[in-house]
Amino acid sequence: VIMALLILVTLAVFYPSVHYDYIKLDDDPYVANNRHVATGLTAENVQWAFTRVHEGWWLPLLWMSYMIDADVFGHRPFGYRLTNILLHAANVALLFWFLFRLTGSRWRSAFVAALFALHPTRVEAVVWITSRKDTLSGLFFMLSLLAYLRYVDRPDFKRYVALFVLMLAGLMSKAILIILPVILLLLDYWPLRRVSDQLEGRASARPGSDVSVTLHDWKPLILEKIPLFLLAIGFALIGLRTHVTDAAIGADVSILTRFGLMFPNFWDYLRLIFWPVDLALIYPEHDVIRWPVSLAALFGLLAITAGCFSMYRRAPYFLVGWLWFLAGLLPIIRGVRFGLAAYAGRYTYLPLIGLGIMFAWGAGALLERVSRREAATLSAVLLFIASIVPLTVLTHRQVALWRDSETLLRHTIEVTGDNPMAYLNLGALYGAQGRWGEAYPLLHRLVEIKPDHADAHYNLAGVYRQIGRPQDAIRQYRAALDAAPDHVHALRSLAWMLAVMPGATEGQRDEALRHAAYLVETLGVQTAADLETLALTYAANQRYEEAAHAARKALQVAQWEDDPALVRRIRLRLDSYERNVSMRPPDPT
C-alpha cells in the first residue's frame, strides 16, 4: 500500500509536465535536433550510440532510451517526459523496497522514499528531458543495491556478475555511478553490519578480549569490491577523456584552489536541500575564493563528520547517511568538476538519500526514546506529514515553471541576477522568435559582464544584422573569433557576410575567403552550408573554377543530408559559377 501511494503521488505531482515544450538549453542537441534520436532504435543509430561521443559524453544507454521513446511515442516532448516521470516513480518504489528489505522499518523507509520522490530539487532531474541521465542511472543504481542484497544473502559468482552488469549499465547512463562501491561499503557497516559480524566472531573465539574495528576487518569487504572499483576508475577516465569542456576549464587549476572551491560548495547543496526556494535552472559560477569562508566551510563539515563518528556505535545511521551525502556529491563538487554552473539541483538526486537516512532514523530513534510506542507512532506520522506536504507544494509550484523556456529562463534571471547562460539562452530564444528588441538588452548585458564569451558576441551579431547595423555585426563576429578562433558559426557567418556585403573591399573579400577556407580545410567542417559558404567566397574573389568545385562538393553533401531546398539553391549557384557569374545568395544562418 505504501509503495502504491508513493508511486501515485509521484505521478500526480510530475504528470502535468508531459504537456510542456522542449527547453532551449540542451534539449535541442540531446533530443529535439538529434536525428539519431528522432529516427528511433535502428542498427545505425545503436552503432552511433556506442561509437560516438555526443555532447561531451559517451552514454550509449542514454541515447538508446531516447530512441525507444521516439519509436513508441513519436518525436514529441510528451514521450520523453513521460518516460522520465515513470523512471523516477520506479526509482521511488525501488528505494522504498530496498530500505524496507534492508532494515525492516516501514515508516522510516517510506519517509526516505517520499523525500527522494517529492523534494523540489527533483524537478530539474525529472522534468528536464536532458536530465534523463539522472533518472535512468538512478534506476540502475537502485537495481544494483537490490542485487547487492541478493549477493550478501548468498554470495556466488552469478549474483556478483548481475551486480557488475547493473553497475555497468548505470555507468553507461551517467558516470555518477562511480560512487556505488563506496555506498556498498557504507551499507556493509550499517545496516548490514558485515564488519560487526566478523568482530562478534572474533570476540566469541577470545572471550574477554578487547575487540575493535581495524583496517584488517575491512580488507575482505574491500577486496570483494575490487572489480567494481576498477569499473568505476575506468569510467572516470572515460569521463575525463570525453567531457572535454569541463576538463579544459579546470586543466590549470591548482590543488589549493580546488580545495578552496570545494568546501563552500557542499554548503551550497545543503542550502538547496534545507531551503529549496527560488530554485533556478542554472546557477552562475562565481569562482572567487574567500579563504575565511572556505576555512569556515571546511571546519563546519569536519564538525558534522566528527559528530557522526562520535556516534558510530549507538547511532551508525548518522555516519552512514552523512558519508553517503558527501561521497555522492564528491564527483560533481566544484573544484573536482568545472563547467558553466556552480551547482545544480539535479546533482542532489542520489546524495539526498543519505540525508534522508540520517533524519528518518535519527528522528525515529528520538521519538522512541521520548514517547511510548503508540505516541511515537503518531508523532512519526505527524512529522512525516508536516515535512513532506510543504515540500510537495513547493515541488508542484516548481514544476509549473518548466512549462516553457521563456518562463523558466526569466525566473532563473529573477532569482539569480546576472546569469550569463540564462541571458544567452533567453536572448537566443527571443532572436529565434524575431523579438529583437527584447533580445538586444540581454545579449548586450552579457557581453558587458562576459567580454570573452564567444557565443554572446555571436548572438549579438545576429541581432545587429536583423536590425540593420551590419558594421556592428561584423565587429561582434570578430570579437567572437577573438574569444574562440575555432567558433564554427562565427567563421561561417562572418565569411558569408563579408562576401555578400554591398561595396565590400578587396581586403574584406579576401578575409571572407580566409575564414571559409580555415573552416572547411583546416577545421575539417564539411557540411553543405559550410562548403556553400566556401564556394561563395571563392566567387566573391572571382575564382569561379574553385567556386564551382566547392559548390559541387556542397551539392553532394546536401543530397546526402536529404535537404531538397538546399539542393535546389546550390544547383542554382553552381550554374552561375560555371558561367563565371557571382550571385548574392540568401543568408543560410
Side-chain angles (χ1 to χ4, degrees), residues 175-213:
I176 192 61
L177 257 73
I178 62 175
I179 68 172
L180 181 64
V182 176
I183 300 300
L184 298 183
L185 284 173
L186 293 175
L187 295 173
D188 283 338
Y189 175 67
W190 181 88
L192 290 173
R193 299 184 183 277
R194 297 179 75 193
V195 177
S196 300
D197 290 345
Q198 296 182 51
L199 295 180
E200 289 173 5
R202 291 196 351 240
S204 61
R206 292 179 293 170
S209 61
D210 182 20
V211 178
S212 58
V213 178

Side-chain angles (χ1 to χ4, degrees), residues 334-465:
R334 195 74 178 173
V336 174
R337 178 198 63 84
F338 286 92
L340 299 173
Y343 50 94
R346 65 187 180 278
Y347 293 153
T348 68
Y349 196 71
L350 297 180
L352 180 63
I353 298 171
L355 293 183
I357 289 171
M358 289 179 68
F359 287 97
W361 268 264
L366 179 63
L367 291 174
E368 289 176 352
R369 185 175 302 174
V370 301
S371 307
R372 297 189 304 273
R373 181 173 181 178
E374 296 79 5
T377 301
L378 177 60
S379 299
V381 171
L382 293 176
L383 181 62
F384 185 105
I385 294 171
S387 55
I388 297 300
V389 170
L391 291 175
T392 304
V393 173
L394 290 173
T395 298
H396 173 74
R397 293 176 180 174
Q398 188 68 21
V399 167
L401 294 172
W402 287 73
R403 62 182 176 269
D404 57 63
S405 299
E406 181 178 353
T407 300
L408 182 61
L409 290 168
R410 287 174 65 90
H411 171 77
T412 296
I413 293 170
E414 179 183 336
V415 300
T416 62
D418 279 336
N419 190 318
M421 282 297 291
Y423 284 150
L424 178 69
N425 285 275
L426 186 56
L429 176 64
Y430 285 151
Q433 296 173 349
R435 298 160 64 179
W436 312 114
E438 294 170 274
Y440 176 80
L442 293 168
L443 296 172
H444 191 269
R445 175 58 181 159
L446 177 52
V447 298
E448 286 182 340
I449 63 176
K450 286 283 188 179
D452 60 345
H453 199 304
D455 286 338
H457 290 290
Y458 171 76
N459 285 2
L460 184 57
V463 173
Y464 278 133
R465 292 176 69 174

Side-chain angles (χ1 to χ4, degrees), residues 19 59 77 172 522 534 552 560:
H19 303 295
L59 300 172
M172 289 194 291
T522 303
L534 179 61
R552 291 188 194 99
W560 180 82

Side-chain angles (χ1 to χ4, degrees), residues 510-575:
D510 181 65
E511 181 187 353
L513 178 55
R514 283 190 285 106
H515 289 315
Y518 179 74
L519 177 64
V520 173
E521 296 168 5
T522 303
L523 296 184
V525 181
Q526 299 279 324
T527 68
D530 295 301
L531 290 164
E532 183 189 19
T533 301
L534 179 61
L536 172 67
T537 59
Y538 275 129
N541 286 273
Q542 299 183 351
R543 295 166 61 173
Y544 295 111
E545 183 177 345
E546 291 160 294
H549 177 70
R552 291 188 194 99
K553 291 179 65 177
L555 180 61
Q556 292 177 340
V557 176
Q559 290 170 331
W560 180 82
E561 291 175 353
D562 194 23
D563 189 337
L566 184 59
V567 167
R568 288 192 297 270
R569 190 174 77 200
I570 294 175
R571 278 178 174 157
L572 186 61
R573 306 280 173 270
L574 178 58
D575 180 64

Side-chain angles (χ1 to χ4, degrees), residues 36 61 72 126 140 146 170 201 207 249 345 367 397-398 410 428 464 473 478 487 499 506 525 527 546 573 582:
H36 295 284
L61 292 192
V72 174
V126 178
F140 290 112
L146 287 167
I249 291 173
L367 291 174
R397 293 176 180 174
Q398 188 68 21
R410 287 174 65 90
Y464 278 133
R478 286 173 174 156
H487 195 291
E506 182 180 349
V525 181
T527 68
E546 291 160 294
R573 306 280 173 270
S582 179

